Every structure is written in structure tokens, then in C-alpha cells.
């Protein structure tokens, strides 16, 4: 949990310190890469760390990830300009990728099926606490100490986590392989390059350059070529980083697609709800953050109680109930009155957190229970990878939707010269004298309409998640019994196929 906290809090702690960092180092035009670079590094390394943990064990991968993360933290604290800080944030992300995937896998290794909801709920609580505490801690350190302490604070936490892992994490003995394990470094490089180009195109498109410009088209084209090359390399590799069985098995493929769609819809509350709360409801940044944070209160509670549901009706049906509820909540958002009260979206976010807790945890626990030890790291990494990619795609797609709706609504505004970009409009609304009363109301209604369309799009993503479960997921997950769930016992593809045939009821 301490290792998970390192990766979780660093995704949010920098956000409130951006003014101090930019004031000290400069680089306002590229500061968004402080977040994008970290996210990119975490995402593209997940498949590699998943395969390495299946090959060499979880403990060495987790230790290496913590050390790399702490090295990146020290380098970030010593950064002399924005370019160096962005580069060192990427180093942090390389370690964060090992932390995210490996911790989730270890939780499934250490706890039997009946106890996994409890530990997964605690890990969800770590993320929830980090989402709320990160911006607050970052703002306090930047305002009353120095922004460099944002990264130095990782050192004592990481040191304790490292000591606990080295001393107390004992993996069960595994049979020595007949041949020396081979790492598919060519496949790892191809996956890394493909993911890097694709995520760069998604993150920067519509921001640093127009979507139909030469840089966007070039990056998308190059990523498509590299994706085809990656498939060729992985098919020829003896131990591929992303093996074909990840997509050939219906259970894993359906969960990958469903959680990818969940990553897509999560952009609506996490990215656009704070903008809605500040621009439409007129709340301050802290109050807007609390409107979103109520989702993190109901999510772990719902996740912890989900086992009482899926033990009765199965993983698939439980997840479908959760996503159906999420679909209704997302569709209810555009029906909120204008301007409304802060408790209106807060209530919907409380319900959304409960619905998604009922959706995500049964799928993760269920898919981890269908594979043996030797495939669990790869399976878990593929699920998290798809969720992260979905979130990146969602940020790009919904950002374009919001800006398009906003520009159309501002076309006939009472005043001329209004920006058509959502971020620029939000900043302008912070100045009370920027517009007349009529113009301000028009702009607020335009932002309200833009966010409404984003939530309708998020409801479409929820429908896609349901479609993946209905059409692809088996009615009963092929769960491997605990007696055979040991290193070497059910890790081979043949053993997993045997479990597929048995179709044990969850």
C-alpha cells in the first residue's frame, strides 16, 4: 500500500504547484508535459513489467520500481529547467509503471479469492486518499516551503516501503525453468515506441497543434506502422511482452475492452467536472475538488461490499449491474438544472463512485482468478494498460467535443472576441470584470452545454463497456481453484485452457 501510495499521490500532487514551478523554471508552454510525460511512461511500461514479474517474480520488479521511482524523485527535486524536470518526471513514471501493475498482481497472489475484495478495497482507498490529499499537500509545500519538497517527500515513504518489501514480502518458491528465461526486448522496445507516439498524438493533438495538421497525422501514421511492426515481432517472439492469448481468451479480452471503456468515461468526472463546478456553479478550486472527491468516498465502500453480490450472481452480472447504474447516472447529468446547486453534481458523483466500484473490482478480481501465477502479471498489466489508454483517448476525444460545442455556442455571443477554447474561457471567467452580466451568463451556459455533451459521450462509453460484457464475456468466469493456483501449477497456457473448458462458476 505504501508503494501504491507513491505512484498514486504523484499523479496529483504536482497540479497545485504549477504556478510556483513555472515561476521558478519557466516553460509555461510545455508545463502540461509534467503530467503527460509521467502518464505516458506509466502506461507504456505496464506490459513490460507485467511480463517481467511473470518471468522473474514480483519482488525484484517491485524493488526495482521503487528504486527507479525514488531516483526520479531526487532528480526532479534537483531539476534546473523545465526540460530537465519533464525528463525526470518520465523517469519517475518508469518506476510508477512497475508499482501500479505489480502491486495489483501481488494482492491477487497473497490473498485467496474470498479475501481479495477486502485488500483491493484498501488499495482503492489509497487511490482515493491520494486524489484528495495530493493537491492539498502539493499546494501547502509549494506555498509554505519549496516546490522541490513535493518530490523529496517521496524519499522517506519510499524508503519505508522498500524496507518492508525487502524484509517481509516472501514469494512462494517456483520450479526452476529448464531453460534460461528470455526477455523479448525487441517487443518491449516496439510496444514502448508505439505507445509513446500514440499517446503523444492524443495528448498534444488539438492543444499544441490542430488535429488535422502534419504533426498529428504524422504521429498517428507512425504509430500505426509501429503497431503493425509490433504485431509481427510479438508473433515471432518466444516469450512475447503482449502474448496473443491476452486477446484470444474471451474473459481477458472482454475485461480489457470493458475497462478500456471505463477509462474513457472516467475523463468526464475527473477532467471536466472541476471545470463545470468552477465555471458554471461559481465554486473555488478547493470546493470544486470536493464535489469530485465524493466519488472517491463511495467507490472503495462499494468495492469492498461487491463480493456479497458477485458470490451470489457472478462476476459478469455484478459488473453489468454496476455499469448499468453508471450509465443512468451519466445520462442524468445533462438533466441537472442550470445553474443548480453544488450538491446536485456531488450526489451524482457519489452514486457514480458506488456504481463503478461495483463494476471495476469484480472484473479485476475475476480476471485475475482465471489465470495461474505465471500469467497473472501479464493479465493484470494488460487490464491496467487498456484502462490507461482508454483514459488518454477519452481526454483527446472529449476535449475536442467540448471545445467544438463551446465554439458553436459562443458564435452568437453578446460580445465579440471570446475564446473558443474551454481552458481559456474558464480562465476568463475567473476575472469578474472580464464580461458583462449578459455575456457572462451566455458563456456559463455554453460551458454547461459543453460539459453536458461530454457526459453524454461518457454514457456512450458506458454502453460500450456493457456491450463488451454482453457479447464477449462468458456467463461464468473460468475460475481456477485455489488448490491449483500456485506457481507452476496453473501458469502454463495448457492449464489455463483446461480451466476454460471447466467453466467453474464464480
Amino acid at each position: 500500500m505504501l508503494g501504491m501510495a507513491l505512484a498514486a499521490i504523484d499523479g496529483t500532487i504536482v497540479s497545485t504547484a504549477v504556478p510556483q514551478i513555472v515561476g521558478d523554471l519557466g516553460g509555461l508552454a510545455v508545463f502540461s508535459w509534467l503530467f503527460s510525460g509521467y502518464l505516458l511512461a506509466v502506461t507504456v511500461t505496464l506490459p513490460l513489467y507485467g511480463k517481467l514479474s511473470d518471468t522473474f517474480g514480483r519482488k525484484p520488479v517491485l524493488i526495482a520500481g521503487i528504486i527507479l521511482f525514488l531516483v526520479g524523485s531526487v532528480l526532479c527535486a534537483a531539476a534546473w529547467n523545465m526540460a530537465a524536470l519533464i525528463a525526470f518526471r518520465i523517469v519517475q513514471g518508469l518506476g510508477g509503471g512497475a508499482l501500479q501493475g505489480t502491486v495489483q498482481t501481488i494482492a491477487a497472489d497473497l490473498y485467496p479469492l474470498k479475501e481479495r475484495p477486502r485488500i483491493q478495497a484498501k488499495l482503492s482507498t489509497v487511490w482515493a486518499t491520494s486524489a484528495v490529499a495530493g493537491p492539498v499537500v502539493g499546494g501547502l509545500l509549494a506555498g509554505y516551503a519549496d516546490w522541490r519538497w513535493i518530490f523529496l517527500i517521496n524519499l522517506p515513504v519510499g524508503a519505508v516501503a522498500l524496507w518492508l518489501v525487502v524484509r517481509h514480502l516472501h514469494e512462494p518458491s517456483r520450479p526452476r525453468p529448464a531453460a534460461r528465461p528470455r526477455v523479448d526486448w525487441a517487443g518491449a522496445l516496439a510496444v514502448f515506441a508505439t505507445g509513446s507516439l500514440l499517446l503523444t498524438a492524443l495528448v498534444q493533438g488539438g492543444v499544441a497543434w490542430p488535429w488535422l495538421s502534419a504533426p498529428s497525422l504524422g504521429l498517428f501514421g507512425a504509430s500505426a506502422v509501429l503497431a503493425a511492426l509490433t504485431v509481427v515481432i510479438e508473433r515471432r517472439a518466444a516469450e512475447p511482452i503482449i502474448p496473443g492469448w491476452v486477446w484470444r481468451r474471451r474473459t481477458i479480452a472482454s475485461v480489457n475492452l470493458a475497462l478500456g471503456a471505463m477509462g474513457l468515461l472516467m475523463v468526464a468526472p475527473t477532467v471536466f467536472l472541476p471545470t463545470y463546478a468552477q465555471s458554471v456553479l461559481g465554486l473555488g478550486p478547493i470546493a470544486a475538488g470536493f464535489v469530485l472527491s465524493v466519488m472517491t468516498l463511495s467507490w472503495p465502500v462499494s468495492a469492498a461490499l461487491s463480493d456479497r453480490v458477485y458470490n451470489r450472481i457472478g462476476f459478469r452480472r455484478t459488473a453489468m449491474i454496476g455499469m448499468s447504474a453508471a450509465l443512468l447516472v451519466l445520462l442524468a447529468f445533462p438533466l441537472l438544472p442550470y445553474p443548480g446547486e453544488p450538491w446536485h453534481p456531488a450526489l451524482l458523483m457519489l452514486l457514480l463512485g458506488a456504481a463503478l466500484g461495483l463494476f471495476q473490482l469484480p472484473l479485476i478480481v475475476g480476471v485475475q482468478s482465471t489465470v495461474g501465477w505465471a500469467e497473472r502479471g501479464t493479465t493484470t498489466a494488460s487490464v491496467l494498460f487498456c484502462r490507461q489508454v482508454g483514459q488518454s483517448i477519452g481526454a483527446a476525444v472529449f476535449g475536442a467535443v467540448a471545445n467544438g460545442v463551446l465554439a458553436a455556442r459562443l458564435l452568437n455571443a453578446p460580445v465579440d472576441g471570446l475564446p473558443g477554447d474551454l481552458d481559456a474561457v474558464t480562465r476568463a471567467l475567473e476575472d469578474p470584470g472580464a464580461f458583462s452580466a449578459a455575456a457572462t451568463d451566455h458563456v456559463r451556459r455554453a460551458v454547461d452545454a459543453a460539459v453536458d455533451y461530454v457526459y453524454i459521450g461518457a454514457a456512450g462509453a458506458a454502453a460500450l463497456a456493457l456491450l463488451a460484457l454482453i457479447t464477449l464475456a462468458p456467463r461464468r468466469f473460468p475460475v481456477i481453484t485455489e488448490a491449483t493456483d500456485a506457481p507452476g501449477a496453473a501458469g502454463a497456457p495448457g492449464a489455463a485452457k483446461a480451466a476454460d473448458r471447466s467453466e467453474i462458476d464464480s
Side-chain angles (χ1 to χ4, degrees):
M1 290 175 70
L2 282 175
M4 178 70 82
L6 283 174
I9 200 168
D10 251 67
T12 59
I13 196 172
V14 179
S15 58
T16 48
V18 167
Q20 289 79 9
I21 295 174
V22 171
D24 190 9
L25 301 180
L28 178 63
V30 294
F31 84 89
S32 63
W33 273 100
L34 290 177
F35 312 98
S36 303
Y38 179 83
L39 175 65
L40 187 150
V42 169
T43 303
V44 299
T45 54
L46 279 169
L48 172 62
Y49 287 128
K51 185 62 181 180
L52 290 176
S53 72
D54 283 343
T55 304
F56 300 104
R58 326 293 190 212
K59 187 171 182 176
V61 173
L62 184 58
I63 290 174
I66 294 175
I67 292 174
L68 188 57
F69 188 91
L70 295 181
V71 169
S73 299
V74 172
L75 292 174
C76 285
W80 52 90
N81 58 33
M82 185 62 76
L85 182 58
I86 291 171
F88 298 148
R89 279 283 284 173
I90 293 175
V91 174
Q92 258 194 324
L94 296 177
L99 294 173
Q100 280 197 30
T102 310
V103 168
Q104 294 277 6
T105 307
I106 289 173
D109 289 342
L110 295 180
Y111 292 85
L113 181 58
K114 291 183 179 180
E115 296 183 28
R116 283 176 197 164
R118 177 169 60 86
I119 189 62
Q120 289 286 0
K122 290 182 178 180
L123 292 176
S124 297
T125 304
V126 171
W127 280 99
T129 305
S130 301
V132 176
V136 176
V137 174
L140 290 175
L141 290 175
Y144 295 99
D146 187 272
W147 64 264
R148 298 179 190 273
W149 281 101
I150 289 173
F151 303 104
L152 293 176
I153 199 174
N154 292 328
L155 299 184
V157 179
V160 174
L162 189 62
W163 177 76
L164 289 172
V165 168
V166 170
R167 182 166 182 177
H168 295 292
L169 178 59
H170 304 294
E171 295 190 272
S173 59
R174 295 180 292 124
R176 185 181 297 274
R180 183 180 179 182
R182 294 161 60 183
V183 179
D184 177 25
W185 293 113
L189 182 61
V191 170
F192 188 89
T194 303
S196 298
L197 289 182
L198 177 61
L199 291 178
T200 300
L202 291 172
V203 169
Q204 295 297 98
V207 178
W209 48 70
W211 283 110
L212 298 180
S213 64
S216 272
L217 296 177
L219 284 171
F220 280 119
S223 60
V225 172
L226 282 175
L229 179 62
T230 301
V231 172
V232 173
I233 292 173
E234 294 296 82
R235 283 184 173 180
R236 295 180 178 180
E239 295 290 338
I241 294 296
I242 303 180
W245 54 260
V246 167
W247 293 105
R248 287 194 297 267
R249 297 182 193 172
R250 288 176 56 197
T251 306
I252 302 175
S254 62
V255 172
N256 282 346
L257 293 174
L259 286 180
M262 192 199 80
L264 199 69
L265 74 86
M266 281 299 297
V267 172
T270 57
V271 176
F272 291 93
L273 183 63
T275 298
Y276 172 88
Q278 293 181 68
S279 300
V280 179
L281 301 181
L283 302 179
I286 296 178
F290 278 114
V291 171
L292 172 61
S293 67
V294 295
M295 183 174 68
T296 65
L297 301 178
S298 57
W299 191 315
V301 174
S302 173
L305 298 176
S306 65
D307 63 320
R308 301 186 182 185
V309 183
Y310 69 65
N311 282 331
R312 290 177 176 270
I313 64 175
F315 296 115
R316 176 175 176 265
R317 291 178 181 174
T318 304
M320 288 172 62
I321 291 173
M323 187 50 73
S324 298
L327 173 60
L328 294 177
V329 172
L330 293 167
L331 288 175
F333 189 90
L335 303 178
L336 293 179
Y338 172 86
E341 298 293 335
W343 67 266
H344 293 157
L347 176 60
L348 289 184
M349 292 307 100
L350 191 71
L351 296 174
L352 183 63
L356 293 178
L358 200 61
F359 168 79
Q360 178 179 261
L361 188 135
L363 289 185
I364 291 180
V365 171
V367 78
Q368 288 178 331
S369 303
T370 65
V371 294
W373 188 97
E375 294 177 343
R376 189 172 291 141
T378 299
T379 300
T380 304
S382 72
V383 169
L384 299 179
F385 176 76
C386 289
R387 188 182 66 186
Q388 295 280 80
V389 171
Q391 201 162 348
S392 299
I393 294 174
V397 172
F398 293 148
V401 169
N403 287 328
V405 172
L406 189 70
R409 293 299 177 99
L410 294 180
L411 189 61
N412 298 315
V415 294
D416 296 327
L418 293 178
D421 176 76
L422 190 61
D423 291 334
V425 167
T426 302
R427 288 194 296 269
L429 286 173
E430 294 176 357
D431 182 5
F435 312 121
S436 64
T440 299
D441 182 70
H442 187 87
V443 172
R444 290 188 189 280
R445 288 182 181 275
V447 173
D448 178 59
V451 177
D452 284 347
Y453 273 92
V454 168
Y455 270 83
I456 292 172
L464 290 177
L466 279 174
L467 185 64
L469 294 177
I470 293 170
T471 58
L472 289 178
R475 290 189 175 184
R476 299 176 178 180
F477 277 29
V479 175
I480 295 176
T481 58
E482 299 297 333
T484 61
D485 189 15
K497 291 177 181 176
D500 279 337
R501 287 194 296 268
S502 68
E503 285 291 308
I504 302 171
D505 194 350
S506 60

